[in-house]
Amino acid sequence: MSRNERWISVVLRVAPLLLFLWMVRDLLVPVALAALFALLLHPLQARMTRWWPRLAKPAPLMLTAGVIVLVVIPFALLVARVVVSVQSFLAGGLADVAERLQAFAARHFSGVAERLHLPVERLRGGAMDLAQHLAATIGNMVSGMAAGVPGLVIGLFLFVLSLFYFLRDGAAAVRWIWRLLPFAQRDTGELFESIRATVHGALVGQIATSAVQGSLTVAALYIFGVPGALLFGLIATLLSVVPLVGTTPVTIGAVIYLLSAGRVGAAIGMGIAAIVIGMSDNVVRPWVQSSGTRMHPLVTLLAIFGGIALLGWAGVFLGPVIAAMALWTVDLYAIDHDETPPSAPARDGTPPEGADCP
């Protein structure tokens, strides 16, 4: 076969694969998440089939149904509840809060503004414009979330279907990938183990972050006298799983409530607590996630933020996995580099750099 024929053969083999990946590029995230969850659930599936051999065939369906009940349905209900709550707040609650804040500002700061010769009406108008701009921003965000509901439904469907097939046929797929990878079995095993440990750490990190943020939110709401502290703390715990949103709607809503009630000191304290609660995510999650892997907490934090910027909310799980694969390649190169024999002496008889001289 000539060189041109070999190039044509390579192009004809690679082009359909690249075309297929480009065609399904927007659908790969839920499939990748399903593969990671299947890898995480594989030990449980193995125990089920070992303890009860009759469950070997129905085990994938049973585990998929469990994920639907424990993960998919609560997540869908949470998103729907957030969208409906924000829309109702924009419809009527925001105007009421704005009026109460305006009355509070007029009652407490009008005298100060007059003594300082500040334009009260201009400040009041600026505050109203700021409130309207904030409402428009929140409305656009909610509209974007509502517009993305069809894509979310398709993503959840692909996630559930892919999870079932990965649980059923994952072993065969792993053997196929194992055979294709041009690495030693020990190196490939370390790669799969690193991915499994990273996914497990991401899940445990999310649970720990939700528990810490929910507990801190309940404590702050109770200390500063916000009604329904336990209920709103539970809502904050559920919202903490949503990247870039987290507990902010609950904590900032509590600050606005306290300001509208005229409790300035409590509002300031709640604002400080909101900052602490929000920053705890950047401390607890990397620390817990890195404790079960060899990944440094700083690398874990960068992987999480980079994954969110690149892949959206799924980047919380996929970002650390990509980082783990990158670190695996670096470790593999370092091991191969350490195992290479020393270079031969130069032609003039001088030893290579770094060699011991007699």
Side-chain angles (χ1 to χ4, degrees):
M1 182 182 293
S2 64
R3 183 176 181 181
N4 291 334
E5 290 175 343
R6 285 197 299 269
W7 275 108
I8 293 174
S9 176
V10 170
V11 171
L12 291 178
R13 293 178 183 180
V14 174
L17 177 61
L18 296 179
L19 179 61
F20 173 76
L21 292 177
W22 179 81
M23 181 178 63
V24 300
R25 65 191 185 279
D26 295 332
L27 306 175
L28 292 178
V29 171
V31 175
L33 282 177
L36 297 181
F37 269 80
L39 182 64
L40 193 63
L41 293 173
H42 176 69
L44 178 59
Q45 182 182 4
R47 292 191 188 97
M48 290 175 62
T49 56
R50 186 171 62 251
W51 292 341
W52 300 287
R54 293 183 179 180
L55 297 180
K57 289 186 177 180
L61 183 60
M62 294 172 61
L63 291 174
T64 304
V67 171
I68 292 175
V69 173
L70 298 177
V71 178
V72 175
I73 292 179
F75 177 77
L77 293 177
L78 173 64
V79 173
R81 181 60 180 172
V82 170
V83 172
V84 172
S85 299
V86 175
Q87 285 180 340
S88 63
F89 176 70
L90 293 176
L94 183 62
D96 180 62
V97 171
E99 292 178 0
R100 296 175 68 177
L101 288 177
Q102 184 178 0
F104 170 77
R107 184 169 62 252
H108 290 81
F109 298 114
S110 58
V112 178
E114 291 177 358
R115 285 194 295 270
L116 297 177
H117 303 287
L118 298 176
V120 179
E121 294 299 328
R122 184 179 300 178
L123 292 176
R124 185 178 302 172
M128 293 302 298
D129 292 339
L130 179 61
Q132 293 175 358
H133 178 71
L134 179 61
T137 302
I138 298 175
N140 292 333
M141 182 182 68
V142 174
S143 300
M145 293 176 63
V149 167
L152 180 62
V153 172
I154 295 175
L156 290 176
F157 172 75
L158 286 175
F159 172 80
V160 171
L161 191 63
S162 301
L163 178 63
F164 169 74
Y165 283 121
F166 279 128
L167 289 173
R168 194 189 70 174
D169 307 323
V174 168
R175 287 193 298 268
W176 179 72
I177 296 174
W178 201 297
R179 189 172 64 252
L180 288 180
L181 290 178
F183 305 109
Q185 287 191 354
R186 175 177 58 85
D187 298 330
T188 306
E190 290 180 356
L191 173 61
F192 279 94
E193 179 59 27
S194 176
I195 294 175
R196 189 202 63 79
T198 303
V199 176
H200 182 267
L203 183 61
V204 174
Q206 179 61 68
I207 294 174
T209 301
S210 299
V212 170
Q213 290 191 323
S215 301
L216 291 176
T217 302
V218 170
L221 295 177
Y222 180 78
I223 291 173
F224 297 111
V226 178
L230 185 60
L231 175 61
F232 285 109
L234 178 60
I235 295 175
T237 303
L238 297 176
L239 286 176
S240 63
V241 305
V242 183
L244 304 180
V245 176
T247 59
T248 303
V250 174
T251 54
I252 298 302
V255 172
I256 295 176
Y257 166 79
L258 293 173
L259 283 176
S260 63
R263 300 168 57 189
V264 181
I268 295 175
M270 189 66 214
I272 297 174
I275 296 174
V276 173
I277 294 170
M279 293 298 294
S280 65
D281 184 9
N282 302 328
V283 177
V284 176
R285 190 193 302 271
W287 178 71
V288 173
Q289 188 164 341
S290 61
S291 62
T293 62
R294 294 179 298 175
M295 197 179 304
H296 192 275
L298 179 59
V299 178
T300 304
L301 186 63
L302 292 176
I304 292 172
F305 280 113
I308 292 174
L310 179 64
L311 303 170
W313 64 270
V316 174
F317 297 96
L318 296 179
V321 170
I322 296 173
M325 295 175 66
L327 293 178
W328 173 80
T329 58
V330 174
D331 290 341
L332 188 62
Y333 170 78
I335 293 173
D336 292 341
H337 183 72
D338 291 339
E339 293 177 353
T340 54
S343 56
R347 291 186 178 181
D348 58 359
T350 57
E353 184 179 355
D356 294 333
C357 296

